[in-house]
Amino acid sequence: MKSVTVSSKGQIAIPKEIRDALSIKGGDRLIFNVENGKLVLEPVINIPRSQAWFWTHEMQDKVKKADKNFKTGNFKTFNIVKFLEELKD
């Protein structure tokens, strides 16, 4: 366990072992959170704007539901003719 000292400007240096373990480099962004009285730093991963919709809570809920349905066998299989017929209904 490493300890660091907070400077008079509120700055800290992240120890090299931790930066290496999390692949944190100069210029990277971090999110600060307080969880159960502890400071938690989390690296930010940049996502292209064109793909951001996929990471919304709504979409992730849908993906989780679909994955659960698939794992429990709650899905249908179609041949193309039956599939097109079902779309018409």
Side-chain angles (χ1 to χ4, degrees):
M1 178 183 297
K2 293 281 185 178
S3 76
V4 298
T5 301
V6 179
S7 76
S8 60
K9 294 182 181 182
Q11 298 170 328
I12 61 169
I14 301 170
K16 182 175 180 356
E17 301 84 43
I18 294 172
R19 292 191 319 265
D20 290 347
L22 297 175
S23 300
I24 297 172
K25 309 250 184 309
D28 284 355
R29 297 183 57 184
L30 302 173
I31 296 172
F32 282 68
N33 284 307
V34 176
E35 296 177 9
N36 298 319
K38 296 180 181 181
L39 175 62
V40 178
L41 300 175
E42 181 179 358
V44 174
I45 299 173
N46 292 322
I47 299 170
R49 185 171 289 167
S50 64
Q51 297 176 13
W53 63 271
F54 182 77
W55 299 104
T56 62
H57 290 293
E58 179 184 4
M59 188 61 179
Q60 287 300 298
D61 288 343
K62 290 178 181 181
V63 169
K64 288 176 188 173
K65 182 178 177 182
D67 188 48
K68 181 180 176 185
N69 285 335
F70 182 76
K71 287 179 180 177
T72 60
N74 185 19
F75 61 91
K76 295 179 183 179
T77 57
F78 296 91
N79 68 35
I80 190 67
V81 173
K82 288 182 180 179
F83 177 73
L84 292 174
E85 287 173 3
E86 177 125 342
L87 285 177
K88 291 177 185 178
D89 292 343

